[in-house]
Amino acid sequence: MAFQKAVKGTILVGGGALASVLGLSQFAHYRRKQVSLAYVEAAECVTEPVNREPPSREAQLLTLQNMSEFDILVIGGGATGCGCALDAVTRGLKTALVERDDFSSGTSSRSTKLIHGGVRYLQKAIMKLDIEQYRMVKEALHERANLLEIAPHLSAPLPIMLPIYKWWQLPYYWVGIKLYDLVAGSNCLKSSYVLSKSRALEHFPMLQKDKLVGAIVYYDGQHNDARMNLAIALTAARYGAATANYMEVVSLLKKTDPHTGKERVSGARCKDVLTGQEFDVRAKCVINATGPFTDTVRKMDDKNATAICQPSAGVHIVMPGYYSPESMGLLDPATSDGRVIFFLPWQKMTIAGTTDTPTDVTHHPIPSEEDINFILNEVRNYLSCDVEVRRGDVLAAWSGIRPLVTDPKSADTQSISRNHVVDISESGLITIAGGKWTTYRSMAEDTINAAIKAHNFKAGPSRTVGLFLQGGKDWSPTLYIRLVQDYGLESEVAQHLAATYGDKAFEVAKMASVTGKRWPIVGVRLVSEFPYIEAEVKYGIKEYACTAVDMISRRTRLAFLNVQAAEEALPRIVELMGRELNWDDFKKEEELETARKFLYYEMGYKSRSEQLTDRSEISLLPSDIDRYKKRFHKFDADQKGFITIVDVQRVLESINVQMDENTLHEILNEVDLNKNGQVELNEFLQLMSAIQKGRVSGSRLAILMKTAEENLDRRVPIPVDRSCGGL
C-alpha cells in the first residue's frame, strides 16, 4: 500500500467556469418537476459561482443519479471533505460529495472553536528540534490568516491570556509566545504582550489572584465551526459541485482496468437515508474524507486494510457567559494530567475544554460525567475563590472524536502522525486523514493534487486561497445596522444574523415574521434569551437542513449553547419544518423524539438531569428543611404532600400574575422526577439540596417559589425566565 505524507503544494489565486452537461430532453423533464439542476461540467476556468443560490437537495440528487461519470467523488461532509469538493470544483473538475448524516454532524461541529497554529506544537517543535512539527505550525498559521480573510463574518481574532504564577515562567513563556508571533510572520494577527498582575485582573477579573505574577496575551482565531463547515459546502454547491447530505455509501464500485487488468475503484453505491432509495454514483476518482470513519471506508475497498485511525475523544462544556470576559480567553498550558485546557468566550457563553482520551468510533459520542468534572476542576484552579464553579452551571456538553492517524513510515508503527496523511490504495481509493480544522484547506489542496497526479486530470493549481466562502464577500462589521434600519430587527438579532449568514442575512430578514409589537417590527424569537428567530428555520431548509437535529445543532447552535433552551424551542421548530417539508403528525413526533434523544445523550442533558434524580440524597440542615417545607406549603395549601399546575396557578393569580399553562407544565416537569404530573415534597427537598451543593442551578420552579414566598404580600410580578444563577 502506497502512503505519502502530505506536502504543501503550490498556491496560486485564479478562477474558472462550469457548464451544464444535461441534455435538452432531461432538462425539460426536470423543469417540469420545478427542480433547478446543478452545473457540474468541467471547464478551463471558474471566475464566478455558476449558481446564485445552492441548488435544492432534490436537484443535487437528480444530478448525482443522472451524471454518467464524475471526475471526483468525495465521501464525507466534514470540513476536509467539503474542502476537497470546493478545491476540485474550482479547478474545473466534475465534482460530487456525499455525506451519510448532515454536513459537519461529526467532529467538525464539536471542536474548541479555535482557528490556531498550535502554541503547544511549537513548544514541542523547539524542545525536540522537530522540523516536521515546526512546518505544521507554520502552515496552520498561514491557513489561520486565510480563513479569517475568506469568512470574516464567521471568524475573528481572539486574545487569549496565559496567566503566570511563577516568576521564572514569565521569560520562558514570553519567549515561546514571541516565537509564535515570529513564525506567523506577516500572518501575525496582533503582537503578543505582557500584563502586570493588576492589569491582568482588570482584563480577567474572575482570575485566581493568589500568587499571580502577571500574564501574557497572544492572539489566535475563533470561529463558528459548524456554520463554517456549512459555508464551505454551500460554496462548493454554488460553484457546481453536486453535494448531498443524508447519502450513505453502502459499497464501493469497482471495474477492471483494461491496461493493467487490476480492479480500480470507480464510484460508490449510495443510499438516501431519508427515503431508502439506492443508486450508483460513478467517478474516475473516489476520495475518502470520513474522519473517524476512515478505516470503515478503507475496509470497503480492501477488507484486509491495516487500520490507521486511532480515535480520541475530546469533551467540551458550555457555561454561562459570566465565567469569562466577553472578549478574552484563557489558556491553561499544564493541567493536573498534562493536558491543555482552553477557557473561551463563545456566542456570549463560556466554552471550556478539552479532554483527550482513547475512545471507540461511534456516530453518537457521549460526554462522560468524569470528563465534565475533570474540566470543572481545572477551571476551579484558575478562577477566584469568589466564583463558585458549580456543576449545575454546565448548560451543554459534547464529545468530539479526533481522527488521529498512525504514520506507517515511522519506525514505531503505533506513533501518531502530527500532520495529515494522504493514502492511495492499490485500487486507487484516495484517503485523506488526520490534520486539524484550521488546515482543512491545505489538506484538501494536497488531496486534489494527489488525485490529479494519480488520474492524469487536466486541471491547474488550487484556487481556494483568498476565495470567499458563502456570505463573506460583501460582509462588513456595520452590516447589521442596515438590518435594523431596513427591516426593524432588534439590534441583538441583527448582529447575530450578520455574524451567521454574512451578506446573506438580508435573505433571512426578508423571511422574518411580523412580531405585532411596536419594536422589533419583525423577527419572532425561537426562545427568549437567544437571538435565533423563526425565519432561520425556513432559511435553514434552503441550506439543506433535513431534520430537527440539523436545525438545533448546526443551522442554529442552540443545542451547543443550552440544551434546555434547545428542548423548549423544539416543538416550534418541528412545527415550522413540518409546514415547509409537509411532515405528517407521525413524522413530527418522530423528529421530536429523535431530537430529544440527541440532546439527552450527545449534548449533555443526561448528565445534567442526573444531578437531580429520584435517588438524590437530601443533605439539608433541619432548619433548612423547615424553611423549605414552609415555602412548599404556601403552594400546597390543602396539605396534600404535592403540588400541581393548579396549585401554582392559584398562587400566581393571588398576586395578579398570568402564565401560560404550557410554560407552567415545563417548569414543573423539570422537577417532577417520577413524571406523574405533580411535584412531591420529597422531590422539592431533593431539588433544594442539589441547588445548595451546586449540582443544579437555574431551576425556574425554585426561583418562582422563593420569589412568591417573599412577595405574596407585596403583590409584585414573579420573574420566571431561565436563570444561570443558583439560590
Side-chain angles (χ1 to χ4, degrees):
M1 185 173 295
F3 276 88
Q4 59 187 46
K5 283 188 187 174
V7 179
K8 191 173 172 61
T10 306
I11 298 175
L12 295 175
V13 180
L18 302 171
S20 174
V21 296
L22 295 167
L24 291 176
S25 61
Q26 282 184 312
F27 182 73
H29 173 68
Y30 297 151
R31 275 190 64 105
R32 284 197 298 271
K33 291 192 173 194
Q34 296 182 327
V35 176
S36 173
L37 292 170
Y39 291 78
V40 293
E41 178 62 29
E44 290 184 1
C45 68
V46 183
T47 54
E48 291 293 334
V50 296
N51 300 303
R52 184 176 177 275
E53 297 295 334
S56 67
R57 182 174 182 272
E58 290 75 15
Q60 300 284 40
L61 292 178
L62 285 170
T63 304
L64 287 170
Q65 281 181 268
N66 290 280
M67 179 58 59
S68 58
E69 187 179 48
F70 291 92
D71 293 324
I72 300 280
L73 169 62
V74 182
I75 305 173
T80 304
C82 291
C84 287
L86 180 58
D87 190 286
V89 77
T90 51
R91 297 197 203 198
L93 297 171
K94 290 184 290 184
T95 305
L97 178 146
V98 292
E99 159 61 45
R100 74 171 298 279
D101 206 302
D102 185 28
F103 301 114
S104 196
S105 59
T107 309
S108 295
S109 64
R110 306 177 191 225
S111 72
T112 313
K113 323 303 180 193
L114 283 177
I115 311 170
H116 62 132
V119 172
R120 58 178 176 151
Y121 295 125
L122 181 61
Q123 180 189 27
K124 290 178 182 177
I126 294 169
M127 298 295 287
K128 297 181 179 179
L129 300 177
D130 189 333
I131 190 67
E132 180 192 343
Q133 196 138 220
Y134 168 79
R135 286 173 180 159
M136 184 184 71
V137 173
K138 191 168 182 63
E139 177 185 62
L141 290 171
H142 172 271
E143 294 301 323
R144 179 188 70 179
N146 182 64
L147 198 49
L148 289 167
E149 179 187 346
I150 65 176
H153 58 303
L154 292 169
S155 58
L158 176 71
I160 300 176
M161 180 183 289
L162 181 63
I164 306 296
Y165 287 92
K166 295 177 181 177
W167 279 107
W168 68 265
Q169 291 179 335
L170 192 57
Y172 173 77
Y173 284 121
W174 181 83
V175 170
I177 294 298
K178 279 301 176 186
L179 282 172
Y180 192 61
D181 291 348
L182 187 64
V183 172
S186 61
N187 294 319
C188 181
L189 302 179
K190 290 184 182 180
S191 183
S192 58
Y193 55 91
V194 176
L195 290 175
S196 65
K197 176 179 179 178
S198 60
R199 289 284 290 163
L201 292 172
E202 192 177 311
H203 283 282
F204 212 117
M206 53 286 291
L207 201 60
Q208 173 66 259
K209 302 181 182 79
D210 296 342
K211 297 182 181 179
L212 181 68
V213 171
I216 299 171
V217 176
Y218 74 98
Y219 286 80
D220 257 326
Q222 188 178 51
H223 69 153
N224 186 336
D225 54 2
R227 292 293 316 182
M228 185 73 81
N229 193 155
L230 184 62
I232 301 166
L234 293 171
T235 306
R238 289 184 64 210
Y239 273 90
T243 60
N245 54 353
Y246 293 99
M247 286 298 295
E248 181 179 7
V249 170
V250 178
S251 61
L252 296 177
L253 304 177
K254 291 188 177 183
K255 66 180 180 181
T256 303
D257 188 324
H259 301 293
T260 64
K262 293 182 179 180
E263 279 198 329
R264 305 286 293 176
V265 173
S266 60
R269 180 73 175 175
C270 297
K271 176 183 177 181
D272 186 337
V273 175
L274 303 179
T275 65
Q277 181 188 13
E278 291 189 17
F279 55 85
D280 293 340
V281 178
R282 300 198 174 274
K284 295 170 186 172
C285 174
V286 177
I287 294 173
N288 171 18
T290 53
F293 300 94
T294 292
D295 290 325
T296 303
V297 177
R298 280 164 44 80
K299 288 181 184 296
M300 283 185 187
D301 175 40
D302 176 6
K303 63 181 180 181
N304 297 316
T306 305
I308 63 170
C309 186
Q310 292 194 6
S312 171
V315 172
H316 295 81
I317 63 174
V318 168
M319 305 176 77
Y322 57 70
Y323 272 96
S324 66
E326 281 188 24
S327 57
M328 184 168 287
L330 183 78
L331 167 65
D332 177 359
T335 62
S336 56
D337 68 349
R339 308 180 203 178
V340 172
I341 288 284
F342 285 99
F343 193 61
L344 310 166
W346 185 68
Q347 303 280 306
K348 298 188 177 180
M349 294 295 182
T350 301
I351 183 172
T354 178
T355 60
D356 187 4
T357 51
T359 186
D360 294 325
V361 176
T362 172
H363 290 289
H364 307 289
I366 298 172
S368 71
E369 186 64 23
E370 181 183 357
D371 282 332
I372 291 171
N373 284 320
F374 167 79
I375 296 171
L376 287 173
N377 287 332
E378 294 303 324
V379 169
R380 289 187 185 101
N381 292 336
Y382 272 86
L383 295 191
S384 167
C385 56
D386 297 335
V387 180
E388 183 185 357
V389 180
R390 305 177 300 184
R391 174 62 183 80
D393 283 340
V394 177
L395 305 176
W398 67 85
S399 176
I401 302 177
R402 295 188 193 89
L404 304 177
V405 291
T406 54
D407 180 0
K409 287 191 175 182
S410 171
D412 177 8
T413 56
Q414 295 301 308
S415 66
I416 301 296
S417 173
R418 302 178 186 90
N419 210 329
H420 55 277
V421 172
V422 176
D423 160 37
I424 304 178
S425 75
E426 293 293 330
S427 62
L429 175 69
I430 297 180
T431 294
I432 171 67
K436 54 195 285 189
W437 221 121
T438 306
T439 58
Y440 85 91
R441 193 213 61 83
S442 63
M443 292 167 65
E445 179 183 340
D446 292 339
T447 306
I448 302 305
N449 284 343
I452 291 170
K453 184 177 180 180
H455 293 269
N456 295 315
F457 291 133
K458 292 181 180 179
S462 175
R463 298 182 172 98
T464 51
V465 170
L467 181 72
F468 280 106
L469 298 183
Q470 169 104 336
K473 187 174 182 180
D474 295 321
W475 174 86
S476 74
T478 57
L479 184 146
Y480 80 93
I481 296 175
R482 288 174 54 198
L483 292 170
V484 175
Q485 294 175 337
D486 294 352
Y487 295 94
L489 289 160
E490 55 187 308
S491 183
E492 184 187 11
V493 170
Q495 289 179 43
H496 152 68
L497 293 182
T500 302
Y501 304 96
D503 58 31
K504 299 294 181 183
F506 296 100
E507 296 180 18
V508 184
K510 288 174 186 175
M511 297 179 177
S513 305
V514 175
T515 64
K517 302 176 184 177
R518 184 182 62 80
W519 190 263
I521 298 171
V522 300
V524 178
R525 294 194 182 208
L526 287 168
V527 62
S528 61
E529 67 265 49
F530 290 95
Y532 300 107
I533 60 174
E534 292 183 354
E536 292 180 77
V537 177
K538 187 175 181 180
Y539 191 78
I541 294 171
K542 291 180 64 176
E543 295 182 320
Y544 305 130
C546 299
T547 70
V549 171
D550 297 344
M551 204 65 72
I552 61 174
S553 58
R554 292 174 288 274
R555 303 310 181 278
T556 73
R557 305 310 306 274
L558 263 177
F560 283 80
L561 296 171
N562 190 314
V563 287
Q564 193 174 339
E567 186 184 42
E568 288 174 18
L570 264 177
R572 182 58 178 161
I573 287 173
V574 169
E575 181 185 343
L576 292 168
M577 291 189 75
R579 192 181 301 165
E580 294 295 319
L581 298 172
N582 298 317
W583 289 346
D584 57 23
D585 290 342
F586 177 80
K587 175 63 175 174
K588 289 178 185 177
E589 192 58 40
E590 183 181 56
E591 285 293 321
L592 275 172
E593 183 61 29
T594 301
R596 284 171 177 150
K597 189 178 293 185
F598 167 79
L599 292 172
Y600 187 73
Y601 290 106
E602 295 184 51
M603 299 310 300
Y605 213 157
K606 180 176 185 289
S607 294
R608 181 179 171 87
S609 63
E610 284 178 348
Q611 302 309 306
L612 181 64
T613 70
D614 54 7
R615 296 182 299 278
S616 296
E617 181 183 352
I618 299 175
S619 300
L620 295 168
L621 295 172
S623 58
D624 288 333
I625 291 176
D626 290 340
R627 178 159 55 93
Y628 293 138
K629 279 184 176 179
K630 288 178 182 178
R631 183 178 301 172
F632 184 85
H633 290 313
K634 287 186 182 294
F635 285 76
D636 180 24
D638 301 329
Q639 302 291 306
K640 304 183 297 296
F642 61 85
I643 58 175
T644 64
I645 288 178
V646 174
D647 296 314
V648 177
Q649 283 177 326
R650 175 182 53 77
V651 174
L652 293 180
E653 287 172 3
S654 72
I655 54 176
N656 299 318
V657 173
Q658 299 295 321
M659 190 173 296
D660 178 74
E661 187 171 330
N662 288 332
T663 303
L664 281 175
H665 177 75
E666 289 174 2
I667 290 173
L668 263 67
N669 196 49
E670 292 171 10
V671 188
D672 180 12
L673 302 177
N674 53 19
K675 304 304 177 188
N676 61 358
Q678 57 197 32
V679 175
E680 295 159 8
L681 175 60
N682 200 56
E683 291 173 326
F684 179 66
L685 293 177
Q686 286 173 320
L687 168 67
M688 301 314 296
S689 178
I691 288 173
Q692 278 199 5
K693 291 178 179 178
R695 294 202 308 268
V696 171
S697 67
S699 167
R700 291 184 288 174
L701 180 65
I703 294 168
L704 185 148
M705 294 178 71
K706 179 176 184 291
T707 312
E709 182 183 49
E710 295 173 347
N711 295 284
L712 273 171
D713 295 332
R714 285 178 284 171
R715 304 291 193 268
V716 299
I718 300 176
V720 293
D721 286 342
R722 191 183 299 100
S723 166
C724 292
L727 299 179

